[in-house]
Amino acid sequence: MAMLCVAIDSAQIAAARIVDGDVGGDDVRRAAIPAASVWESCRNLLTEVAGEMPITAIGLAVVGPVDMAAGVVAPVDIPEWRAGFDIVGAIRSLFPSAAVRFLVDGACLALAERNLGHASEAIDSLVVLVSDLVSGGIIVGGLTMVGRTGNAGNFGHMPVPGFDGPCRCGSRGCLDTVAAGRSMVEWARARGWTGQNPRELIDAARNGETVPVEALARAGTALGLVIASAAVLHDVDLVVVGGLAGESGPALWDPLVAAVAAHARTGNLTELRVVASELGEEGVLAGAAILALSGEDEPG
């Protein structure tokens, strides 16, 4: 018997097969998210990874927003699914004997951090995921919270003081508009930088290029402001930041830490730590694997 762990974000699909509780990095396969026929790409990758083995459970991490009760995703950045796509039903049609367990990507990273990473050190913590978009998860009493619809921990759509750019969600000043990988690249390119993607931006900042350094600095400041607000609200002493932000170096981290230090000043936050995830780009997929192996959905 085998299980699948799957992560779908706004740019790519990643999937791996779990056999006897083990999944190695070499087993992970990826495909780009096309402009159309997204489900066809997902289906092809899943059937390729599954092979001939009977699949008994699937852990699914998806970009939000989601409706967990209905098994539906409606991501703004995947036009084909924007009106709502029954991802759980579609996967069950492929693997009718499999249990499908389903969380937003940030909550899956929180699961991975709680079981394999820094969040195992704290009962209550926050996890922020910076990728093409910004997401996250909330851990309270050792449990990953999902909220009423499954979208708890959506830090990307918290408003950031001092920022007022339009967001794809229809609001203004969301963290996504400043700190998402896509937004950092758009901001830098509008100011003459010629790179193409967030990893190029991070490398350019490490080399001291002015515009990439400024793009990461404003993202770090915005992240720090939102982290300070969320830490006050949730009364935590640990925040784990993963994805691109975990790899961005001083250009992002120095402003982030400075913003947290300036704004998280209530007595209960004197020991607040903000640390980079050590799980790398497979963190979300690891959470999906934990979900597949869990045997039951987490309450929250």
Side-chain angles (χ1 to χ4, degrees):
M1 296 294 184
M3 303 179 185
L4 289 179
C5 53
V6 187
I8 303 172
D9 67 19
S10 61
Q12 70 170 7
I13 317 150
R17 188 172 61 197
I18 309 164
V19 181
D20 296 328
D22 181 56
V23 55
D26 291 342
D27 296 325
V28 177
R29 305 183 203 180
R30 302 179 185 278
I33 293 281
S37 302
V38 178
W39 168 243
E40 183 178 348
S41 298
C42 293
R43 181 185 62 213
N44 292 343
L45 182 63
L46 294 181
T47 53
E48 175 191 341
V49 172
E52 299 300 318
M53 297 192 73
I55 300 299
T56 57
I58 296 169
L60 176 63
V62 295
V63 63
V66 302
D67 181 334
M68 275 191 68
V72 168
V73 296
V76 172
D77 288 286
I78 302 179
E80 189 182 356
W81 292 358
R82 191 173 295 160
F85 178 70
D86 181 6
I87 185 69
V88 171
I91 288 178
R92 282 178 175 151
S93 71
L94 273 184
F95 304 103
S97 299
V100 182
R101 304 179 183 104
F102 158 66
L103 287 175
V104 291
D105 51 1
C108 274
L109 180 60
L111 267 183
E113 287 292 343
R114 181 168 65 82
N115 286 272
L116 306 170
H118 290 296
S120 62
E121 305 165 8
I123 296 298
D124 303 326
S125 59
L126 305 176
V127 177
V128 182
L129 171 64
V130 180
S131 60
D132 238 24
L133 306 173
V134 181
S135 183
I138 302 168
I139 301 171
V140 176
L143 294 176
T144 302
M145 307 305 290
V146 298
R148 178 178 59 86
T149 61
N151 294 287
N154 191 355
F155 296 109
H157 294 285
M158 287 181 65
V160 188
F163 294 90
D164 194 45
C167 183
R168 287 169 173 82
C169 74
S171 186
R172 301 187 69 87
C174 295
L175 181 60
D176 245 10
T177 67
V178 187
R182 176 198 57 212
S183 298
M184 287 189 277
V185 169
E186 289 174 356
W187 187 90
R189 286 181 59 83
R191 285 153 184 81
W193 183 65
T194 57
Q196 300 296 319
N197 59 61
R199 296 197 182 279
E200 289 181 16
L201 187 77
I202 291 168
D203 289 341
R206 286 192 178 124
N207 290 331
E209 294 185 33
T210 301
V211 170
V213 168
E214 291 175 351
L216 289 177
R218 67 194 295 273
T221 297
L223 280 162
L225 290 170
V226 165
I227 286 169
S229 296
V232 169
L233 179 65
H234 294 286
D235 190 20
V236 298
D237 62 1
L238 176 67
V239 180
V240 184
V241 184
L244 294 169
E247 307 164 15
S248 295
L252 182 141
W253 275 90
D254 287 352
L256 187 160
V257 170
V260 171
H263 294 278
R265 301 184 66 87
T266 58
N268 60 308
L269 297 179
T270 55
E271 297 183 2
L272 176 64
R273 294 176 296 138
V274 183
V275 300
S277 172
E278 296 179 345
L279 298 182
E281 65 177 356
E282 308 299 357
V284 172
L285 200 63
I290 291 166
L291 196 59
L293 291 164
S294 68
E296 61 182 6
D297 296 325
E298 284 210 346

